[in-house]
Amino acid sequence: FLPITGETGAGKSILLGALGLVLGDRANPDLVRRGAKAADVTAEFDISDIPEALTWLTERDLVDEHEQSSCLLRRTLSAEGRSRAFVNGRPVTLQDVRALAEELIDIHSQHAHTSLLRRETQMRMLDEFGAHRPLALEAAAAHDRWRQSSDALERLRAAADEQNDRRTLLAYQLEELETLAPSTVELGKLEAQQRRLAGAEANVERLGQARAALEEDDDAVVDRIARLDHLLETVDDADPRLANARELLASARVNAEEAADELRRYSDGLEPDPVRLAEVESRLGALHDAARKHRVRPDALETFFAELQAEHNDLDASDARIDALATEVAQARGELEALATRLTKARRSASKRLAKAVTEQLRELGLRDARFEPALIPFADGQCASSGMESVEYRFSANAGVAPGPLGRIASGGELSRISLAIQVVTALTSRVPSLVLDEADVGIGGRTAEVVGQMLRRLGERTQVLAVTHLPQVAALGHHHYAVRKDTGKKTLAETRI
């Protein structure tokens, strides 16, 4: 038990502020002494009997290879407000420092009796006392998973309700387009066929004129080439160029005759077909009407149809996702309720033990008829929150025969200070954290009770390290060692606090 004393303003808060800073508290540039560039705080912890801390360090490769039983925390803070944290000389995040600090030390501020009135503080203390804080965190994580799944399901269902009208419209459009079965390839063929059928009569006439010009008229192309060929044959000259001209004319005659045969065969298959033309134009009209209705080009109608099918399939998939997510929500709810039920059972057991232990300490502190109990208050309709299925309310009675009532309404200021101290002592006795810091936890206590507090803290110091800032000589006198804080002004420009 290590009491720390000093006059008001001597600087006891500097010691606790430095300790909080190195353990991950928020850094304020005002902490840096005026004129200095930076503040540097270091704290060393003996972890030889803290296997949880050693495991934490080992998992993150932060163990000091030369001194595994020691853990060195360091925090630097510049005048500009930049801070850095180190564990055994290696840089870490503040989140890491805070997580490690939970294994090393427990600090109770001088305002602990005020925060004790908050329900969340009461629940956390009960959970830590019962050693089921990990179960509470697991239940809170399960609640988050259930809440996230439930919110996602609610959003999907809301979206599905909004999409019902869209689904109905899609079903109607798809039914119409499935019957039409638009095809870009078919559209091209139909347009070409329509042009050929629509111009069949005019084309037959033009083809007949072309055939006649080639071989049937009095001055047909084939006959004229034949006469030219005969005329050249009468030229008596062996010049190669003349022979080449004869060959070209002969070839032209053959090509003209073949062209005439091709035109004849093509014309024979080009008979006008008004029935087929009507069918083609009806089909094209249906495709163009559908395209105008859906405000797309006729050649984009097939793509539009595919997009509607994909959207409809997505809506069907949304239904499947809703079903799957509903199953997931039910499973998450089951896991949450199972964990919350275990947590409730653990809290009931811990509340009985805490009530007995704190009541005994209160009687030692002079409240002989005091009665303390943590009450579990179930939520309405069996609801389950992130904290479980109940809230916790600390209740207190100072007089025999009077039922305990809510702590904040029943306890006086002096009683509240004693209750806070009793709870801190009891929880420290069961805590696995080996160091406890009490910042003026004995405020409002005096006389014979102050000596009892000193004896209580000394007994507690036999089991764990207790650093207690106190103004009471009766408490300080019972320390195993006694630290005095004083402010040295002297002739220096800046005052110095020494311990």
Side-chain angles (χ1 to χ4, degrees), residues 376-393:
L376 304 187
I377 305 174
F379 294 131
D381 302 325
Q383 292 181 4
C384 192
S386 59
S387 59
M389 293 191 294
E390 64 279 318
S391 63
V392 175
E393 181 182 72

Side-chain angles (χ1 to χ4, degrees), residues 137-147 332-333 335-336 339:
L137 294 176
E138 190 178 354
H143 181 272
D144 287 344
R145 291 192 297 271
W146 169 74
R147 184 72 269 165
R333 180 70 185 185
E335 293 173 2
L336 171 60
L339 288 168

Side-chain angles (χ1 to χ4, degrees), residues 3 22 48 76 87 143 158 165 167 216 224 231 309 374 418 429 466 473 490:
V22 81
S48 55
T76 62
V87 173
H143 181 272
D165 292 342
R167 188 194 302 271
E216 295 176 2
R224 292 178 67 186
L231 182 61
Q309 288 177 315
R418 300 186 191 195
L429 288 170
V466 181

Side-chain angles (χ1 to χ4, degrees), residues 220-488:
V221 172
V222 173
D223 292 340
R224 292 178 67 186
I225 293 174
R227 286 196 298 272
L228 287 171
D229 188 28
H230 177 71
L231 182 61
L232 290 177
E233 286 179 355
T234 62
V235 178
D236 186 13
D237 191 343
D239 191 308
R241 289 175 293 177
L242 181 59
N244 187 44
R246 288 171 179 166
E247 289 179 5
L248 290 173
L249 280 174
S251 177
R253 181 179 179 181
V254 171
N255 287 334
E257 290 173 346
E258 289 183 355
D261 290 340
E262 284 293 331
L263 290 176
R264 186 182 305 106
R265 285 191 292 272
Y266 179 71
S267 298
D268 291 343
L270 199 61
E271 293 296 329
D273 188 348
V275 175
R276 177 57 186 161
L277 177 59
E279 291 175 352
V280 170
E281 290 182 338
S282 175
R283 175 65 175 165
L284 281 173
L287 291 171
H288 281 262
D289 288 344
R292 282 193 298 272
K293 181 177 181 179
H294 296 292
R295 298 181 181 180
V296 297
R297 299 189 314 276
D299 59 356
L301 195 59
E302 182 179 9
T303 301
F304 177 72
F305 179 36
E307 290 172 350
L308 290 186
Q309 288 177 315
E311 184 179 355
H312 192 270
N313 291 339
D314 285 343
L315 292 178
D316 289 342
S318 178
D319 289 342
R321 286 198 298 272
I322 287 175
D323 293 340
L325 196 53
T327 301
E328 182 180 326
V329 168
Q331 292 175 343
R333 180 70 185 185
E335 293 173 2
L336 171 60
E337 290 178 350
L339 288 168
T341 300
R342 287 173 52 198
L343 186 58
T344 298
K345 183 178 180 181
R347 283 172 176 163
R348 286 197 187 113
S349 175
S351 65
K352 294 178 182 178
R353 291 183 281 113
L354 183 61
K356 180 180 179 181
V358 172
T359 297
E360 289 176 355
Q361 293 293 336
L362 290 175
R363 288 171 180 168
E364 280 194 45
L365 292 171
L367 300 177
R368 301 193 179 281
D369 295 322
R371 183 177 163 195
F372 170 85
E373 63 179 36
L376 304 187
I377 305 174
F379 294 131
D381 302 325
Q383 292 181 4
C384 192
S386 59
S387 59
M389 293 191 294
E390 64 279 318
S391 63
V392 175
E393 181 182 72
Y394 285 1
R395 295 177 178 175
F396 171 75
S397 171
N399 303 304
V402 178
L407 193 61
R409 185 161 53 87
I410 300 298
S412 65
E415 290 169 339
L416 193 57
S417 297
R418 300 186 191 195
I419 294 169
S420 176
L421 179 60
I423 292 175
Q424 290 173 29
V425 169
V426 168
T427 54
L429 288 170
T430 58
S431 175
R432 56 181 174 79
V433 179
S435 295
L436 172 66
V437 176
L438 300 174
D439 183 10
E440 299 189 24
D442 52 12
V443 64
I445 295 172
R448 168 62 184 159
T449 303
E451 185 178 348
V452 173
V453 170
Q455 294 171 348
M456 186 182 294
L457 294 180
R458 184 176 180 89
R459 289 198 305 271
L460 183 59
E462 301 291 342
R463 304 181 53 172
T464 187
Q465 183 184 47
V466 181
L467 284 80
V469 174
T470 180
H471 288 288
L472 301 177
Q474 301 97 312
V475 173
L478 290 167
H480 293 88
H481 302 281
H482 182 183
Y483 292 102
V485 178
R486 63 182 176 84
K487 182 178 292 185
D488 183 8

